[in-house]
Every structure is written in structure tokens, then in C-alpha cells.
């Protein structure tokens, strides 16, 4: 989901898989997006509904001052109701976690690879023209399509306006979602979409490749030339072109891979496996880093070494295009999922490195506890938010160095238990 939040579809290397019953959608066609269950008003939610309607009336006045036409507001706002389930999901999404290997097992399944190859073949002419115009690898565009909507099979059926209004009414990220709601109304005003078109995921993302409304406004294109930037219809042309346009606008480097799986030499300095430390692949090769076939990686540009599951898991040399895909969803697991799925669709092989499959993902409470204990032990994570980002990874690495452990920055249950035992 473009430019939303780190933990929307994947939190810290996990994913929120679709909850659509398998009897309705085959497993191969399921998106990596959540699907809502039916919502029933209770007495408490009836009180919230009244408050929501009061908020909606105030929002209408604000929308008018921002230039949304009365006709659009009169068509779009009446009948909107508060969706408590959407708000619950938004507030609790960080609880839904998976390890990166469990995520990749689903994101890059054999069925998803096969469907991706069929989709690329079916839309070969379209993807060739998109690639020629924006220089973005067609397989990456297809992989995003595959992860976001199972190649268009699961685009979401929730009312975009209802979801965004409910999240804007909630106080947690009201300003962000009110901006998205205004953007969705501007889309209606522009004539790019009709009211019935504005349907998508529970959190307001839309179309084949799940654009948030502000990203749609900034980057969607009319590739078919019919006068509408239509990312919702069965024809994926505008959606796939818009995805390429988005990636190009965010710095896509033509001809550069997202990353390459590599082998690290015995005795490799694990403290150098950090995002902020970059070297040319030839410089990494001088240190003994090779691809999985044993060859030096070509000099595609500055690269860093990523160990998403620590030194016991697969290792990747990642380039600037990794960060470009990251603007779509900031979880490393998502970026690796897109990149690896793209490679597999293009005919590449599976990841060769092992994963520490005996490990489990830390829960939200455990991640918060890890940050609290690290900070109390003198290894400040800067934030106590349950997100294992670069600051927490560096704090884990510093703690591992202090304890004589392999300093790979991997926030595992073993590190947490060691901290507990020391207190």
C-alpha cells in the first residue's frame, strides 16, 4: 500500500494475510491484504455513530473550504456510517506479525510465481510499453501487482470513503486520514472515478496496485488515453503504468537490481552489515562477498549488506532500488518479497540461504519490552514503539558486541531472554 505506514500489511517482517474464506477465493488468488468481517452496531457503537455523524457534518464544512464541490459532497457523504472494525484493525495491526520466512513462503509461493508468469505473458505488450516509458523492470511492476491484489483478482470491496472517514474520525492519525479523504473526494471531483469505483482495502488503498488517494493524485497516469486515470477497472493498464510512474518518481535506477542474494565469507565483520554502510560490489568482493554462484556481483552502484534474520539467515546485497520499493511499503519483508517474486517471475531460482525456522516472531509486547530493557541496560533505542527499525537494530548490535555475541542486530527472542535473565 503506497506511502501508508510501516506496519500496515507487514509489521517487522510479518504480514496480514487475507481472511477471505478459502471456499470463496482460492489460496492462489488471495491478496496479502486484510478483508473485513461484517460489522454490527452495539449500544456503545451507536453512541460512536452519533459522534461520527456530528464529525462528518463538521468535515463537510472543512471540505467545502478546501474546494470540494457541494455536488460531490452531497453525493458522497450521505449514508456514510462509522466502521468500528476498520478502526480496530488500524489500532491493532502491529499485533499481526510473521517471520520473514513465513511471509515469503506465502508471498513468493509457487502458485504466485506461476500466476505472475502468466500475467506477464498475457500483458506482455502493455508491460513492454510501460517499461520503455519509465525504465522500471516489468517484473517488479508485476510483483507489486501480485502482492497487492493477486494480479487483480482481489482488489478489495470496501467503501474507500467509509474506511477513510472512519479512520479520520478516530484520533490516532486523524490528520493523515482526513487528507486521504479529501484526496478521494478530489478524485471524484476530477471525474477520474465514479462513486461506485471507490472501493478497495479496509484502510483506503485502491485498485490493482493499491494506491492511497494522495499517491493516486500525485502519480497516477492515463496510459490508455481515454481521459481517466482508471486504476479500478478490469483493464490494469493505468494501474500498472501508474505503479511504474510512482517508482520512477521515487528514484528508480534503470538496469539496477533491487538486491542480490550473497554468501558472506568466514569471519565476515557483521558490524558492517548495516544499511548506512555502502560500498561498491567490487569492494565487497575484495572482502570475500560473492553471489550464491560464487561470482563477484557487478558494480551496479553503492550497496549495503542486509541480514533480515541475522547471521543464521540469508544475506542480501541491496542497492538504491531497494529503498525505492521501500517507499511502497517500508517493511524489509515486503521489499524482499517484491524483489524475490520479481526475480522468480523472470526465471530466477529460490533463495539459497537457510532461515532460522525454529525462531518465532516477537509479539508487539515483546518488542516493546526488548526496547525498554535495551535502553535500561544502556543501549538506547531512542524510541519505545515496538518497531524494530535501524535505531533498535543498532542498539541490539551494540548489546551483542558488549556480550560477546555475533553482532548481527537480529532482534530475536534469545536476545530478549538474555536481557531478562540479566535483570
Amino acid at each position: 500500500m503506497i506511502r501508508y505506514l510501516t506496519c500496515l500489511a507487514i509489521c517487522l517482517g510479518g504480514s496480514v494475510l487475507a481472511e477471505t474464506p478459502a471456499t470463496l477465493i482460492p489460496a492462489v488468488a488471495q491478496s496479502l491484504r486484510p478483508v473485513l468481517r461484517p460489522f454490527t452496531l452495539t449500544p456503545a457503537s451507536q453512541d460512536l455513530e452519533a459522534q461520527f455523524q456530528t464529525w462528518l457534518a463538521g468535515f463537510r464544512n472543512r471540505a467545502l473550504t478546501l474546494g470540494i464541490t457541494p455536488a460531490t459532497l452531497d453525493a458522497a457523504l450521505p449514508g456514510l456510517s462509522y466502521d468500528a472494525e476498520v478502526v480496530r484493525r488500524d489500532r491493532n495491526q502491529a499485533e499481526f506479525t510473521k517471520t520473514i520466512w513465513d511471509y515469503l513462503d506465502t508471498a513468493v509461493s509457487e502458485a504466485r510465481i506461476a500466476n505472475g508468469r502468466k500475467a506477464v505473458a498475457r500483458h506482455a505488450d502493455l508491460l513492454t510499453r510501460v517499461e520503455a516509458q519509465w525504465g522500471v523492470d516489468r517484473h517488479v511492476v508485476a510483483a507489486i501487482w501480485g502482492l497487492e491484489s493477486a494480479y487483480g483478482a482481489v482488489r478489495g470491496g470496501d467503501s474507500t470513503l467509509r474506511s477513510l472517514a472512519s479512520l479520520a474520525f478516530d484520533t490516532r492519525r486523524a490528520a493523515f486520514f482526513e487528507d486521504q479523504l479529501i484526496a478521494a473526494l478530489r478524485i471524484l471531483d476530477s471525474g477520474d472515478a465514479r462513486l461506485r469505483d471507490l472501493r478497495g482495502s479496509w484502510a483506503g488503498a485502491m485498485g490493482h496496485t493499491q494506491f492511497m488517494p494522495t499517491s493516486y493524485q500525485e502519480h497516477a497516469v492515463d496510459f490508455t488515453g481515454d481521459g481517466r486515470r482508471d486504476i479500478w477497472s478490469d483493464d490494469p493498464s493505468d494501474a500498472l503504468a501508474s505503479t511504474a510512474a510512482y517508482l520512477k518518481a521515487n528514484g528508480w535506477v534503470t538496469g539496477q537490481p533491487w538486491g542480490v542474494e550473497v554468501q558472506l565469507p568466514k569471519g565476515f565483520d557483521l558490524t558492517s552489515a548495516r544499511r548506512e554502510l555502502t560500498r561498491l560490489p567490487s569492494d565487497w568482493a575484495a572482502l570475500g562477498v560473492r553471489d550464491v554462484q560464487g561470482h563477484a556481483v557487478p558494480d551496479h552502484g553503492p550497496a549495503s549488506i542486509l541480514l533480515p534474520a541475522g547471521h543464521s539467515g540469508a544475506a542480501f546485497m541491496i542497492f538504491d532500488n531497494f529503498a525505492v520499493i521501500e517507499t511502497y511499503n517500508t517493511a524489509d519483508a515486503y521489499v524482499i518479497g517484491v524483489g524475490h517474486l520479481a526475480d522468480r517471475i523472470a526465471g530466477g531460482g529460490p533463495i539459497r540461504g537457510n532461515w532460522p525456522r525454529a525462531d518465532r516472531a516477537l509479539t508487539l509486547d515483546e518488542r516493546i519490552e526488548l526496547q525498554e530493557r535495551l535502553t535500561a541496560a544502556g543501549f538506547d533505542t531512542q524510541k519505545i514503539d515496538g518497531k524494530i527499525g535501524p535505531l533498535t537494530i543498532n542498539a541490539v548490535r551494540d548489546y551483542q558486541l558488549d556480550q560477546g555475541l555475533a553482532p548481527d542486530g537480529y532482534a530475536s527472542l534469545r536476545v530478549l531472554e538474555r536481557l531478562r535473565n540479566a535483570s
Side-chain angles (χ1 to χ4, degrees):
M1 181 177 298
I2 298 179
R3 288 187 182 274
Y4 181 29
L5 297 171
T6 302
C7 293
L8 180 60
I10 308 158
C11 183
L12 312 170
S15 67
V16 183
L17 298 180
E19 294 183 0
T20 307
T23 53
L24 298 180
I25 297 177
V28 61
Q30 290 192 23
S31 166
L32 298 191
R33 295 296 177 200
V35 176
L36 288 176
R37 293 189 294 271
F39 167 66
T40 304
L41 283 173
T42 65
S45 61
Q46 287 173 346
D47 292 339
L48 279 174
E49 179 63 30
Q51 295 172 36
F52 173 77
Q53 293 301 327
T54 300
W55 174 87
L56 197 60
F59 168 78
R60 186 184 191 281
N61 292 331
R62 293 193 295 278
L64 283 169
T65 65
L66 292 172
I68 306 300
T69 63
T72 292
L73 293 169
D74 289 343
L77 299 188
L80 287 185
S81 58
Y82 177 66
D83 195 330
E85 180 67 2
V86 165
V87 174
R88 183 193 70 78
R89 285 182 180 275
D90 181 62
R91 290 190 173 199
N92 294 303
Q93 59 182 306
E95 292 288 353
F96 296 93
T97 61
K98 280 195 169 189
T99 59
I100 184 171
W101 49 91
D102 283 340
Y103 174 74
L104 292 175
D105 285 348
T106 300
V108 195
S109 66
E110 291 300 321
R112 200 177 297 272
I113 295 165
N115 283 351
R117 290 172 179 167
K118 291 175 184 176
V120 168
R122 186 166 60 251
H123 298 283
D125 178 65
L126 165 64
L127 288 167
T128 296
R129 290 185 292 119
V130 166
E131 187 174 70
Q133 182 158 343
W134 285 282
V136 178
D137 185 339
R138 72 187 69 191
H139 302 103
V140 170
V141 173
I144 289 174
W145 187 24
L147 291 192
E148 296 294 342
S149 70
Y151 309 104
V154 189
R155 282 167 263 167
D158 295 295
S159 164
T160 298
L161 296 179
R162 185 188 185 199
S163 293
L164 293 175
S166 298
L167 292 165
F169 167 68
D170 186 42
T171 58
R172 195 164 80 94
R173 285 194 299 277
F176 172 83
F177 283 109
E178 186 159 318
D179 286 346
Q180 297 301 324
L181 182 55
I182 290 291
L185 292 169
R186 291 193 195 283
I187 292 168
L188 291 175
D189 253 352
S190 71
D192 274 320
R194 297 153 296 193
L195 187 59
R196 66 176 179 269
D197 295 325
L198 293 188
R199 308 196 72 80
S201 76
W202 63 264
M206 310 173 298
H208 285 264
T209 52
Q210 297 290 280
F211 270 61
M212 291 298 284
T214 53
S215 290
Y216 173 93
Q217 282 194 299
E218 294 169 6
H219 300 291
V221 298
D222 174 18
F223 197 63
T224 61
D226 65 356
R228 296 176 60 224
R229 299 180 295 169
D230 186 1
I231 64 172
W232 300 273
S233 72
D234 289 340
D235 180 356
S237 297
D238 285 357
L240 300 185
S242 297
T243 300
Y246 174 92
L247 294 173
K248 185 64 176 180
N250 279 279
W252 185 266
V253 180
T254 301
Q256 184 185 79
W258 66 275
V260 177
E261 188 185 2
V262 293
Q263 305 175 78
L264 303 181
K266 185 176 181 180
F268 179 78
D269 179 8
L270 292 173
T271 64
S272 65
R274 58 177 74 213
R275 290 288 295 273
E276 62 270 25
L277 194 163
T278 62
R279 295 185 172 106
L280 286 173
S282 54
D283 294 329
W284 285 116
L287 296 173
V289 179
R290 298 286 190 274
D291 68 18
V292 292
Q293 283 79 39
H295 304 134
V297 177
D299 275 338
H300 298 292
S304 56
I305 302 300
L306 179 68
L307 304 176
H311 69 288
S312 297
F316 300 91
M317 184 183 295
I318 60 172
F319 297 87
D320 288 345
N321 281 344
F322 186 99
V324 175
I325 300 172
E326 205 169 31
T327 66
Y328 225 92
N329 184 313
T330 58
D332 286 352
Y334 177 86
V335 182
I336 295 170
V338 167
H340 185 48
L341 179 58
D343 292 344
R344 296 300 308 277
I345 291 172
I351 290 171
R352 297 268 293 273
N354 295 318
W355 297 111
R357 289 185 177 269
D359 289 0
R360 66 165 175 81
L362 297 179
T363 67
L364 174 61
D365 287 344
E366 287 171 336
R367 295 194 301 271
I368 290 173
E369 181 187 355
L370 175 68
Q371 291 174 324
E372 291 174 338
R373 289 184 180 276
L374 283 168
T375 300
F379 305 93
D380 194 355
T381 63
Q382 307 298 316
K383 296 178 181 179
I384 308 296
D385 57 6
K387 297 177 182 179
I388 310 299
L391 294 173
T392 298
I393 290 171
N394 287 340
V396 170
R397 183 182 287 110
D398 290 342
Y399 172 74
Q400 291 168 325
L401 281 168
D402 180 76
Q403 296 291 303
L405 306 172
D408 57 13
Y410 179 39
S412 66
L413 182 60
R414 290 184 298 279
V415 170
L416 177 57
E417 289 174 340
R418 191 181 185 96
L419 284 161
R420 286 170 175 168
N421 293 334
S423 62

